Amino acid sequence: MSDETGVPSADAESEQPAGVSRRGLFGLLGAGAAGLALGAAGGAGVTAAVAAQATTPASRVYPFFGAHQAGITTPAQDRLHFAAFDVGERTTREELRELLVEWSAAAAQLTQGLEIGETGAVGGSDLAPPEDTGEALGLPASGLTITFGFGPSLFETADGVDRFGIADRRPESLVRLPRFQGDALKPEYTDGDLCIQACADDPQVAVHAIRNLSRIAFGRASLRWSQLGFGRTSSTSTSQATPRNLFGFKDGTANVKSEEAAAVDEHVWVGAGEDAAWMTGGSYLVARRIRMLIENWDRTQLQEQELVIGRDKAQGAPLSGGTEFTEPDFDASGAAGQPLIDPTAHVRLAHPAQNSGVRLLRRGYNYVDGNDELGRLDAGLFFLSYQRSPEQFITVQRTLATDGLNEYIRHVGSAIFAVPPGATAGGFVGETLFA
Amino acid sequence: MSDETGVPSADAESEQPAGVSRRGLFGLLGAGAAGLALGAAGGAGVTAAVAAQATTPASRVYPFFGAHQAGITTPAQDRLHFAAFDVGERTTREELRELLVEWSAAAAQLTQGLEIGETGAVGGSDLAPPEDTGEALGLPASGLTITFGFGPSLFETADGVDRFGIADRRPESLVRLPRFQGDALKPEYTDGDLCIQACADDPQVAVHAIRNLSRIAFGRASLRWSQLGFGRTSSTSTSQATPRNLFGFKDGTANVKSEEAAAVDEHVWVGAGEDAAWMTGGSYLVARRIRMLIENWDRTQLQEQELVIGRDKAQGAPLSGGTEFTEPDFDASGAAGQPLIDPTAHVRLAHPAQNSGVRLLRRGYNYVDGNDELGRLDAGLFFLSYQRSPEQFITVQRTLATDGLNEYIRHVGSAIFAVPPGATAGGFVGETLFA
């Protein structure tokens, strides 16, 4: 089991053939199997016991426990359900801690393709509400990962009261992002005390996870906003083809990939001694809902589109030449002396060379949420990036102030979260904060 | 090629191996290939020429031309993008007709995994906006079907003017649905002059289709409302497993299946001489956005959930006994004399026995559109049903007035559309109306 990459090892001992749904077995065999599964989920053996050889996306199973949380360097799954929560005004420190304990226990089950609780959706008493809502009964794990984060507001004092007793444990850099040029943020897509990122190759599995975790939170935390993403816009593994965003361009070609161990350590994980101690092995997550003005974009000529991006649309090759993975040559110029990659091109401004060497691990998704009253699709990119410090995102986003792409996008939502390290088997995510 | 079932025949002649993306070839080979593809799309040979043997969902290709439109009896794909349009006030009959011609030509290309237009996303002039928006470049056809419909408002006179000269061709039954008990309809999810249903196994392919068809409509018709569905809630083929809705129950067990040729003819297709002549071979589509109050549902005991549905949650078997596909016995009673299937159970009230033998072909999808201001998921069922007459839906929906499920759902959107027959190769959907 490789905690570093999140890739399930092919030689992990497996209790069952790949592709068989334990979720199904669990629900239908009743309390005996349920007890067994709960025991496994709570114990050290869970990841090895239920990991299956990944032969199809549906049969992929990622361990929940590990040095880092899964869902960061894990090869980006195809679908997303993301949720931000507000903790209730009267929720106590102990209740918040208990919520995190319950969330981790449920996430450990869900990510292994199990139902939540002791009896799942159909194994309990007829006279009680089922523990699990059941819409994922019979579906395999589908590569589900569940990643938890803490927003800056969780550490804030309310009316002078340090409500969870963690105000002094806030990492110095965990503050709301500064206002960037062009920001048009709406409260309904912004901020949050807690977040959960659920990624899977089956949207029903991701939705089921967020729904059941929201239900567990009832009375202690409630949904502030949530976002479905239907298609990934980044690769986080060299084994993945580069997907296209809704501008029709390949996106994330130069992303930090999980196989680049040194780059991941340098750019993604918080190192020992460089931040609040409880964040060692964690990361910072920036979420931005970026509305694309796709009707405007669609009316621009191909040359303008390619100039704005700095890559050709067909292959994703930089306009300085080569193929998709050729390094852009920002000094190259054409016959008339003009730079082949425009000074305002997105690929130039987002490049580490323009940002003191900073890189981000991007994990965004395409979204379409109906249309606005003018009949324009409410569509765009739900940008997610992981970095060892919020300063990395801030640096890049400030450089992008002159990005030609700004004419075609609006940042309408924004949030930042401290993503703590992974939980040890039997522990919970956030344990280092509440220790 | 079977027009009846929409299932691509396994022995269709194929120009290429299954799973190879022609969309990719088309875009990257440039104008020569583009011209060839356009010729094919416009000609009689298109369906046979590009149909590939379906070995995976991604490689499935369904013919666009045929006696009936695809996307009705076609085995329900996993993902949906549905759009309703208003035709512009100044749009003329000829412009509307031309829009339908262009829509059909584009749909014929899209459903075969091709880009739209003559040059696609990257094959045209650098100095023109690309014809295709490009986000599906490199993706296979993914079983895409595109189905067009006409709402009652298309036939209405405006200020006494018969704007498209079709007022006298309105089928008598094509009127807005009556108000049903409990309806809580919102204008933003209701009605529409035209509709397009795009179903595919890859959501990016469905979104790409709606986006490009919306773009073609620019200046003539604009999006009124649209809906993404992430998971199918019905099977339309006996080859498909029954999926679960967001109440966690199997849905659509007793649906009309494409393999039931007699039932399809009896319940789905408009027969010759029984309706407006231009509708022969067509059907009627009812769309209902049904919000599920899932938090309320999740707090009810398993016994109540099963009583309300009339089936057990694990297997989907009727409470009168047997397995999923056992016919419910509505007269069966328990030891205390109580009916095993409650008088208010959904399965009883929706059954043909309670509805003069009426059946519907359902093709609904689960949806989640973020959450409301109370932190409740805005989630439910986007119900789609096809029937030879709107009266079938009206009959069932009136019987459902006493459905126990009504406590847990709200109908918030509604629309009805006449779905004309399929187009002959080189023709367009709606040709029979405008002839």
Side-chain angles (χ1 to χ4, degrees):
Chain A
M1 206 64 50
S2 166
D3 290 323
E4 302 310 313
T5 62
V7 178
S9 60
D11 58 354
E13 194 183 347
S14 174
E15 283 195 335
Q16 60 178 106
V20 169
S21 168
R22 283 183 57 99
R23 183 180 277 123
L25 297 175
F26 174 78
L28 304 179
L29 294 182
L36 175 71
L38 182 73
V46 63
T47 54
V50 297
Q53 294 187 18
T55 52
T56 67
S59 65
R60 279 182 204 128
V61 179
Y62 295 111
F64 176 72
F65 299 108
H68 308 295
Q69 289 195 66
I72 302 173
T73 55
T74 309
Q77 302 93 326
D78 284 346
R79 322 287 172 224
L80 168 81
H81 195 180
F82 188 94
F85 294 82
D86 284 334
V87 179
E89 286 181 17
R90 301 193 203 174
T91 302
T92 64
R93 174 189 169 99
E94 188 48 37
E95 287 168 338
L96 172 59
R97 184 182 176 283
E98 184 55 31
L99 171 60
L100 298 174
V101 168
E102 292 175 32
W103 270 1
S104 282
Q109 295 180 297
L110 290 165
T111 53
Q112 306 310 301
L114 303 172
E115 300 175 89
I116 64 162
E118 296 188 34
T119 56
V122 296
S125 162
D126 283 358
L127 301 178
E131 292 184 277
D132 185 288
T133 57
E135 71 270 25
L137 262 181
L139 300 179
S142 306
L144 176 69
T145 56
I146 295 171
T147 315
F148 298 101
F150 305 142
S153 52
L154 194 72
F155 298 84
E156 285 172 3
T157 55
D159 300 329
V161 177
D162 180 6
R163 54 182 183 155
F164 306 121
I166 54 175
D168 63 349
R169 310 205 72 185
R170 179 179 62 75
E172 203 173 326
S173 62
L174 184 65
V175 292
R176 279 185 186 75
L177 292 167
R179 187 179 187 289
F180 298 104
Q181 192 174 320
D183 272 4
L185 305 184
K186 298 184 179 185
E188 62 264 36
Y189 311 129
T190 297
D191 294 343
D193 290 338
L194 302 167
C195 78
I196 306 177
Q197 171 196 282
C199 298
D201 287 308
D202 183 334
Q204 183 116 340
V205 169
V207 164
H208 173 258
I210 292 296
R211 175 185 180 181
N212 281 272
L213 295 169
S214 301
R215 191 172 168 231
I216 288 172
F218 183 77
R220 294 175 285 188
S222 60
L223 269 177
R224 178 183 173 88
W225 55 271
S226 55
Q227 179 72 54
L228 257 71
F230 64 78
R232 68 182 172 90
T233 60
S234 298
S235 299
T236 56
S237 166
T238 53
S239 67
Q240 299 183 296
T242 309
R244 290 182 187 268
N245 62 29
L246 293 182
F247 284 146
F249 277 76
K250 291 188 181 178
D251 203 341
T253 295
N255 202 19
V256 174
K257 302 292 201 314
S258 58
E259 291 83 358
E260 305 176 71
V264 169
D265 277 336
E266 181 182 347
H267 300 289
V268 181
W269 302 129
V270 174
E274 68 175 37
D275 200 335
W278 65 268
M279 275 293 287
T280 301
S283 190
Y284 288 88
L285 167 60
V286 169
R288 305 278 288 185
R289 181 172 160 123
I290 305 175
R291 169 92 186 260
M292 289 174 163
L293 309 177
I294 59 174
E295 290 80 4
N296 301 23
W297 178 260
D298 288 347
R299 286 196 283 271
T300 60
Q301 56 190 30
L302 181 58
Q303 182 177 278
E304 162 77 1
Q305 292 183 3
E306 294 184 334
L307 181 147
V308 163
I309 301 295
R311 294 183 179 274
D312 88 299
K313 196 166 190 174
Q315 302 282 9
L319 295 186
S320 52
T323 60
E324 182 192 343
F325 293 100
T326 304
E327 186 63 19
D329 177 358
F330 297 114
D331 298 325
S333 53
Q338 84 289 4
L340 288 178
I341 297 177
D342 195 76
T344 67
H346 183 75
V347 71
R348 178 188 292 270
L349 296 173
H351 194 272
Q354 299 291 320
N355 295 285
S356 316
V358 156
R359 295 177 71 192
L360 315 175
L361 186 150
R362 279 164 290 152
R363 232 179 178 285
Y365 286 82
N366 295 323
Y367 76 85
V368 173
D369 286 347
N371 52 276
D372 66 18
E373 65 287 353
L374 296 176
R376 299 178 304 196
L377 281 175
D378 184 0
L381 169 64
F382 187 67
F383 173 97
L384 294 169
S385 74
Y386 287 88
Q387 47 271 310
R388 77 187 303 171
S389 163
E391 199 55 45
Q392 289 161 259
F393 173 81
I394 293 168
T395 297
V396 175
Q397 189 58 25
R398 285 199 168 129
T399 307
L400 292 177
T402 57
D403 187 354
L405 207 47
N406 292 336
E407 191 173 339
Y408 303 100
I409 61 177
R410 294 286 178 274
H411 287 246
V412 294
S414 177
I416 184 166
F417 301 96
V419 174
T424 51
F428 66 98
V429 172
E431 193 162 13
T432 54
L433 172 59
F434 282 89
Chain B
M1 203 67 48
S2 166
D3 289 323
E4 301 310 314
T5 63
V7 178
S9 59
D11 58 356
E13 193 184 349
S14 173
E15 283 196 334
Q16 60 177 102
V20 169
S21 167
R22 283 183 56 99
R23 184 180 277 124
L25 296 175
F26 176 78
L28 304 179
L29 295 182
L36 176 70
L38 182 74
V46 64
T47 54
V50 297
Q53 292 187 21
T55 52
T56 68
S59 65
R60 280 183 203 128
V61 179
Y62 295 112
F64 176 72
F65 299 108
H68 307 296
Q69 290 195 65
I72 303 173
T73 56
T74 310
Q77 302 94 325
D78 284 345
R79 323 286 172 223
L80 168 81
H81 195 180
F82 188 94
F85 294 81
D86 284 333
V87 179
E89 287 181 16
R90 301 195 204 173
T91 302
T92 64
R93 174 189 169 98
E94 189 47 37
E95 286 168 338
L96 172 60
R97 185 183 176 283
E98 184 56 31
L99 170 60
L100 298 175
V101 168
E102 293 175 31
W103 269 0
S104 282
Q109 295 180 297
L110 290 164
T111 53
Q112 307 310 301
L114 304 172
E115 301 174 88
I116 64 162
E118 296 189 33
T119 55
V122 296
S125 162
D126 284 358
L127 300 178
E131 291 184 277
D132 184 288
T133 58
E135 71 270 27
L137 262 181
L139 299 180
S142 306
L144 176 69
T145 56
I146 295 171
T147 315
F148 298 100
F150 304 144
S153 52
L154 193 73
F155 298 83
E156 286 172 1
T157 55
D159 301 328
V161 177
D162 180 6
R163 53 182 184 154
F164 306 120
I166 54 175
D168 63 350
R169 310 204 73 186
R170 180 179 62 76
E172 203 173 326
S173 62
L174 185 66
V175 292
R176 278 184 187 76
L177 291 168
R179 188 179 187 289
F180 298 104
Q181 193 173 318
D183 271 6
L185 305 184
K186 299 184 178 185
E188 62 264 37
Y189 310 129
T190 296
D191 294 341
D193 290 336
L194 302 168
C195 78
I196 307 177
Q197 171 196 282
C199 297
D201 288 308
D202 183 334
Q204 183 116 342
V205 168
V207 163
H208 173 259
I210 293 294
R211 175 185 180 180
N212 281 272
L213 295 169
S214 302
R215 192 172 167 230
I216 288 171
F218 183 76
R220 294 175 284 188
S222 60
L223 270 176
R224 177 182 174 89
W225 55 270
S226 55
Q227 179 71 55
L228 257 72
F230 64 79
R232 68 182 172 89
T233 61
S234 298
S235 299
T236 56
S237 165
T238 53
S239 66
Q240 300 184 297
T242 309
R244 289 180 188 270
N245 62 27
L246 292 182
F247 284 145
F249 277 76
K250 290 188 182 179
D251 204 342
T253 296
N255 202 20
V256 174
K257 304 292 201 313
S258 57
E259 291 83 357
E260 305 176 70
V264 169
D265 277 337
E266 180 182 348
H267 300 289
V268 180
W269 301 130
V270 174
E274 67 175 38
D275 200 337
W278 65 268
M279 276 293 287
T280 301
S283 191
Y284 289 87
L285 167 60
V286 169
R288 306 278 288 185
R289 181 172 161 125
I290 304 176
R291 169 91 185 260
M292 290 175 162
L293 309 178
I294 59 174
E295 290 80 5
N296 302 23
W297 178 261
D298 288 349
R299 286 197 283 272
T300 60
Q301 54 192 30
L302 181 59
Q303 183 177 277
E304 161 78 0
Q305 292 183 4
E306 294 184 335
L307 182 147
V308 164
I309 301 295
R311 293 182 179 274
D312 89 300
K313 196 166 190 174
Q315 302 281 9
L319 295 186
S320 52
T323 58
E324 182 192 342
F325 292 101
T326 304
E327 186 63 21
D329 177 357
F330 297 114
D331 298 325
S333 52
Q338 83 288 6
L340 289 177
I341 297 177
D342 195 77
T344 68
H346 183 73
V347 71
R348 180 189 291 271
L349 296 173
H351 194 272
Q354 298 291 322
N355 295 285
S356 317
V358 157
R359 295 176 71 190
L360 316 174
L361 185 148
R362 279 163 291 153
R363 233 179 178 283
Y365 286 83
N366 295 322
Y367 75 85
V368 174
D369 285 346
N371 52 276
D372 67 17
E373 66 287 352
L374 297 176
R376 300 177 304 196
L377 280 175
D378 185 358
L381 169 64
F382 187 66
F383 173 97
L384 294 170
S385 74
Y386 287 88
Q387 47 271 310
R388 78 189 301 171
S389 163
E391 200 54 45
Q392 289 161 260
F393 173 80
I394 293 168
T395 298
V396 175
Q397 189 58 24
R398 285 199 167 129
T399 307
L400 292 177
T402 57
D403 187 355
L405 207 46
N406 291 337
E407 192 173 338
Y408 303 101
I409 60 177
R410 294 286 178 276
H411 286 245
V412 295
S414 178
I416 184 165
F417 302 95
V419 174
T424 51
F428 65 99
V429 173
E431 193 161 14
T432 55
L433 172 59
F434 283 89

